[in-house]
């Protein structure tokens, strides 16, 4: 009554078909229902979901809506059941538990049996399958209603348990509150009594406080003498409370006095030390500024603005990359080196005392930046050795010595190239990141050219050498095969001419000799086939040789900056040694 769809299915199933069709459909439905109930009961948590998927496929089977599912093929039915489960979100991924796999196999078997029975059931009449389908719809709706009722009952039980716990908690809270109220009444009476005593103490003088103490002590002794223990205890308690309050009051006054004296001393010390702290801070700032000035990182001078060319450090640690800016003097010369007298002071392997000069032109020549190496220094620009004066452009990379790496920032040059459409150093090298690794790769590419690893030439040389060896081997083998063939043919002709005239033993010896010659010819043919195989594998060998040479080239690009640094350090230490890469 509550489910119109279920009622309609049951009513239509009852009215459809003949008695024979009804009987056949009921028999089939009982079998299907028994199988579905077994799946739901034996499958544990997964049972109801597998039973629902099986019922859905049974409905498709009896209504002829199987589509691509072949119910006679167990694998096809298993895939269809898993598809139903995945569509309902009951199965995640491809891996199934052993229990789920067993349930799916059992359900597939039940559907296969239903398929085999369908033809026999259809013999009772054409309406049998539709009646079974309607009964399956009614079964599905009933099962859904049962699950909803179970869920509602479980939720109701949970609510009842929660309400019961709430009632028990409320009862316990009530009892606790009653106890607290009783205790609060006692505390309130005591507080009122203490408040009264405290009020008396606040308005009393020292003599009155002493008199109150004596009075309480006298009353306690009188009550004790009269045998009234309750009053004696009460007066004694009052006496003790008053005594404790007087002690606390005296202690509080003493602590307050000590705190005031400490604050006065601290204030005096602060006033005395402020000037000395200010002087120390000024001295520290002066030392800091002196160090920055020494390194060429000091305060901005007159004439330096956002258009001034400057060097930005590149570091292999990304956190230290771009942290130092060295402004170049406008329309003047900036000296670079390890000597403290330079404008930019650098330290590290390969940095000469006077390493290089950087000249910045005035506005009339477009603020050109020119770097000139000094005698005994080693520098690179964009990976190429710096042998003489060179005009730098925006984003050029400088390597001074072995480890000091910089990028030139030239705002005027960048703006000029942007207006001209050049984008300034190829829009900073087509948007690539100019960092320590990029500069080192440039250096490695440049230094690697000194090593004679030319891939195409080496590959061509290797191919020609192999082709020459193969040609020589082929010619030798062909000549050997021709001689052996001619010799064998001559001996075979002679043997045929003398076969009839010779005796049996000699005949056998001739046959053995002929067999030996033929074996030699077969060996020559095998060697020829091996040679052909070697010729076929020539391209593969050459490709492998090329790949190996390219790998060596790539390793050299990475290795050469380290070789350069090692040589710079060795030279700085005065050691007459040179590090060279060894390519084998």
């Amino acid at each position: 009554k509550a489910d119109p769809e279920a009622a309609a299915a049951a009513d239509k199933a009852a009215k459809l078909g003949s008695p024979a069709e009804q009987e056949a459909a009921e028999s089939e439905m009982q079998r299907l229902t028994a199988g579905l109930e077994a799946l739901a009961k034996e499958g544990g948590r997964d049972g109801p979901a597998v039973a629902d998927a099986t019922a859905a496929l049974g409905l498709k089977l009896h209504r002829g809506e199987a589509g691509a599912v072949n119910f006679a093929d167990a694998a096809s039915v298993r895939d269809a059941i898993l598809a139903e489960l995945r569509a309902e979100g009951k199965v995640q991924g491809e891996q199934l538990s052993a229990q789920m796999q067993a349930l799916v196999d059992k359900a597939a078997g039940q559907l296969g049996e239903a398929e085999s029975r369908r033809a026999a059931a259809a013999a009772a009449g054409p309406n049998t399958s539709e009646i079974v389908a309607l009964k399956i719809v009614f079964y599905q709706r009933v099962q859904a209603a049962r699950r909803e009722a179970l869920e509602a009952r479980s939720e109701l039980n949970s609510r009842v348990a929660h309400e019961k716990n709430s009632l028990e908690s409320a009862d316990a809270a009530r009892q606790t509150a009653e106890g607290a109220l009783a205790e609060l009444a006692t505390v309130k009476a005591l507080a009122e009594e203490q408040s009264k005593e405290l009020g008396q103490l606040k308005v009393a003088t020292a003599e009155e406080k002493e008199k109150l103490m004596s009075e309480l002590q006298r009353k306690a002794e009188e009550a004790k003498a009269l045998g009234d223990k309750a009053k004696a205890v009460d007066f004694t308690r009052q006496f003790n409370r008053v005594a404790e309050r007087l002690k606390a009051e005296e202690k509080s006054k003493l602590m307050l006095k000590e705190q005031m004296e400490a604050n006065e001393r601290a204030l005096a010390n602060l006033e005395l030390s402020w000037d000395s702290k200010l002087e120390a801070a000024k001295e520290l700032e002066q030392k800091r500024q002196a160090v920055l000035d020494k390194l060429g990182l000091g305060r901005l001078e007159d004439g330096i603005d956002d258009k001034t060319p400057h060097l930005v450090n590149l570091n292999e640690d990304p956190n230290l990359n771009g942290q130092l800016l060295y402004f170049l003097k406008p329309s003047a010369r900036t000296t670079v080196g390890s000597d403290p007298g330079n404008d930019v002071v650098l330290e590290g392997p390969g940095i000469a005392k006077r390493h290089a000069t950087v000249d910045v032109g005035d506005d009339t020549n477009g603020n050109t930046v020119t770097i000139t190496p000094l005698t005994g220094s080693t520098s690179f620009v964009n990976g190429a050795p710096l042998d003489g004066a060179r005009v730098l452009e925006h984003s050029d990379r400088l390597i001074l010595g072995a480890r000091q790496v910089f990028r030139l920032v030239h705002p005027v040059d960048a703006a000029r190239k942007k207006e001209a459409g050049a984008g300034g150093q190829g829009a900073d090298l087509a948007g690539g990141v100019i960092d320590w690794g990029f500069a080192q790769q440039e250096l490695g590419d440049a230094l690697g050219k000194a090593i004679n690893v030319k891939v195409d030439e080496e590959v061509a040389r290797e191919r020609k050498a192999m082709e020459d060896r193969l040609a020589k081997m082929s010619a030798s083998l062909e000549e050997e095969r021709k001689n052996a063939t001619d010799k064998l043919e001559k001996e075979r002709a002679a043997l045929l001419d003398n076969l009839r005239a010779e005796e049996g033993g000699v005949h056998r010896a001739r046959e053995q000799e002929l067999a030996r010659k033929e074996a030699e010819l077969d060996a020559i043919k095998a060697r020829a086939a091996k040679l052909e195989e070697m010729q076929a594998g020539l391209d593969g060998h050459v490709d492998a040789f090329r790949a190996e040479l390219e790998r060596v080239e790539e390793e050299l690009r990475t290795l050469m900056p380290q070789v350069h640094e090692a040589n710079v350090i060795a030279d700085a230490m005065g050691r007459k040694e040179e590090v060279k890469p060894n390519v084998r």
Side-chain angles (χ1 to χ4, degrees):
K1 293 180 180 179
D3 190 337
E5 184 178 351
D11 183 62
K12 188 175 180 180
K15 295 178 180 179
L16 186 64
S18 63
E21 290 173 329
Q22 287 283 343
E23 183 179 356
E26 181 63 26
S27 175
E28 176 62 21
M29 189 60 194
Q30 287 178 358
R31 293 185 180 183
L32 284 175
T33 303
L36 296 174
E37 294 293 340
L39 288 174
K41 183 177 180 181
E42 298 171 4
R45 184 180 61 183
D46 299 326
V50 176
D52 288 346
T54 307
L57 287 174
L59 179 61
K60 293 181 179 179
L61 168 65
H62 284 282
R63 283 190 167 167
E65 299 173 352
V69 182
N70 182 7
F71 284 94
D73 182 9
S76 177
V77 178
R78 280 197 298 270
D79 292 341
I81 294 172
L82 289 175
E84 290 284 341
L85 292 172
R86 290 192 178 96
E88 295 296 328
K90 303 299 182 181
V91 172
Q92 303 292 334
E94 299 296 330
Q95 196 70 22
L96 300 179
S97 65
Q99 182 182 16
M100 177 62 81
Q101 185 65 53
L103 282 174
V104 172
D105 291 342
K106 186 173 181 179
Q110 291 181 6
L111 289 171
E113 294 174 359
E115 167 66 12
S116 64
R117 293 194 304 267
R118 189 162 66 98
N127 296 316
T128 305
S129 291
E130 180 59 22
I131 296 172
V132 174
L134 291 170
K135 288 180 177 291
I136 291 175
V137 172
F138 180 76
Y139 172 84
Q140 288 176 322
R141 301 303 301 174
V142 170
Q143 291 302 110
R146 284 179 179 174
R147 281 195 291 273
E148 290 176 1
L150 289 174
E151 291 174 358
R153 179 179 296 174
S154 176
E155 183 178 357
L156 181 59
N157 290 338
S158 298
R159 290 182 179 178
V160 169
H162 178 71
E163 293 295 334
K164 184 178 179 181
N165 293 335
S166 298
L167 289 174
E168 293 175 353
S169 300
D171 186 57
R174 181 182 59 80
Q175 294 177 2
T176 303
E178 290 176 352
L181 287 173
E183 184 178 353
L184 181 61
T186 304
V187 173
K188 184 178 180 182
L190 181 60
E192 289 176 351
E193 182 180 351
Q194 293 179 357
S195 177
K196 183 179 179 181
E197 295 173 358
L198 185 59
Q200 294 175 351
L201 290 175
K202 285 182 177 179
V203 299
T205 62
E207 294 180 357
E208 290 174 341
K209 292 176 182 179
E210 186 68 27
K211 183 179 179 181
L212 177 60
M213 293 283 292
S214 301
E215 184 68 17
L216 290 174
Q217 189 174 12
R218 182 185 61 80
K219 289 181 179 181
E221 292 176 354
E222 288 179 355
K224 186 176 181 182
L226 294 173
D228 192 347
K229 294 183 179 179
K231 285 187 176 182
V233 171
D234 186 49
F235 286 129
T236 302
R237 287 178 177 175
Q238 292 186 42
F239 176 82
N240 292 335
R241 285 197 299 269
V242 172
E244 289 176 359
R245 286 196 179 94
L246 292 176
K247 290 181 181 178
E249 184 178 347
E250 291 297 326
K251 185 177 180 180
S252 177
K253 289 180 179 180
L254 180 61
M255 292 179 61
L256 181 59
K257 182 181 179 181
E258 292 177 352
Q259 184 64 41
M260 291 180 64
E261 293 175 353
N263 290 342
E264 291 176 356
R265 289 194 299 270
L267 183 60
N269 291 334
L270 183 62
E271 291 175 352
L272 291 175
S273 62
W274 173 254
D275 293 337
S276 60
K277 289 180 179 179
L278 184 61
E279 289 297 326
K282 289 181 179 178
E283 183 179 355
L284 181 62
E285 177 62 22
Q286 290 174 357
K287 291 181 179 179
R288 173 181 172 277
Q289 191 62 50
V291 172
L292 292 176
D293 291 340
K294 177 182 177 182
L295 296 176
L297 296 166
R299 63 180 66 84
L300 298 180
E301 299 177 355
D302 294 338
I304 292 180
D305 53 22
D306 57 354
K307 296 182 179 180
T308 302
H310 54 276
L311 300 176
V312 179
N313 76 305
L314 301 179
N315 195 286
E316 55 188 329
D317 185 348
N319 294 322
L320 302 178
N321 196 56
Q323 297 301 309
L324 302 178
L325 275 67
Y326 297 88
F327 284 93
L328 304 176
K329 294 180 179 180
S331 304
R333 169 169 292 181
T334 301
T335 60
V336 182
S338 61
D339 190 276
N342 289 291
D343 298 317
V344 175
V345 181
L346 301 177
E347 297 179 353
I351 299 296
K353 289 186 176 182
R354 290 181 52 78
H355 196 92
T357 60
V358 183
D359 296 290
V360 179
D362 53 25
D363 293 336
T364 58
N365 56 16
N367 292 102
T368 56
V369 178
T370 305
I371 184 171
T372 305
L374 300 180
T375 304
S377 66
T378 302
S379 302
F380 298 86
V381 176
N382 300 337
L386 183 63
D387 299 326
R390 174 169 174 170
V391 176
L392 300 179
E393 298 181 358
H394 175 64
S395 287
D396 277 349
R397 282 74 60 202
L398 274 69
I399 299 180
L400 307 180
R403 302 287 293 177
Q404 297 288 354
V405 185
F406 302 93
R407 177 173 67 91
L408 175 66
V409 178
H410 196 334
V412 174
D413 184 44
R416 182 172 60 249
K417 290 185 176 181
K418 185 176 181 180
E419 292 176 358
Q425 193 58 251
D428 280 353
L429 299 178
V433 178
I434 300 178
D435 56 8
W436 165 275
F438 183 87
Q440 292 296 309
Q441 182 180 357
E442 275 188 329
L443 179 61
D445 290 342
L447 295 177
K449 294 179 181 178
I451 306 300
N452 190 21
V453 180
K454 298 180 180 179
V455 175
D456 292 336
E457 294 181 6
E458 292 292 336
V459 169
R461 187 180 298 111
E462 178 71 9
R463 178 184 287 275
K464 187 176 185 307
M466 289 194 65
E467 288 177 347
D468 291 345
R469 290 198 299 270
L470 288 174
K472 186 176 181 180
M473 291 173 62
S474 178
S476 175
L477 186 62
E478 183 63 28
E479 183 178 359
E480 185 179 353
R481 181 169 57 183
K482 183 176 183 302
N483 294 337
T485 302
D486 293 344
K487 184 177 180 181
L488 180 62
E489 291 297 328
K490 291 179 181 179
E491 291 181 357
R492 181 182 292 172
L495 177 63
L496 291 175
D497 292 340
N498 297 327
L499 275 178
R500 296 174 182 172
E502 294 179 349
E503 297 181 356
V506 177
H507 176 69
R508 284 193 298 274
R510 290 287 185 178
E511 287 182 345
Q512 293 174 357
E513 179 66 16
L514 182 61
R516 185 182 64 80
K517 294 296 184 179
E518 288 179 346
E520 291 179 358
L521 184 59
D522 291 339
I524 293 174
K525 291 179 179 180
R527 290 167 58 190
K530 183 67 175 177
L531 180 61
E532 292 176 355
E533 182 180 352
M534 292 175 62
Q535 288 176 335
L538 175 61
D539 291 338
H541 174 78
V542 171
D543 290 341
F545 185 70
R546 176 187 293 275
E548 179 64 17
L549 286 179
E550 291 175 348
R551 183 189 63 80
V552 171
E553 265 195 336
E554 184 62 30
E555 289 185 357
L556 281 174
R557 291 191 188 99
T558 305
L559 180 63
M560 288 309 297
Q562 301 175 17
V563 171
H564 167 66
E565 181 178 353
N567 285 325
V568 169
I569 294 174
D571 185 62
M573 296 173 63
R575 300 180 62 175
K576 303 301 182 181
E577 297 179 2
E578 183 179 3
V579 180
K580 293 182 179 180
N582 188 9
V583 181
R584 297 182 179 179

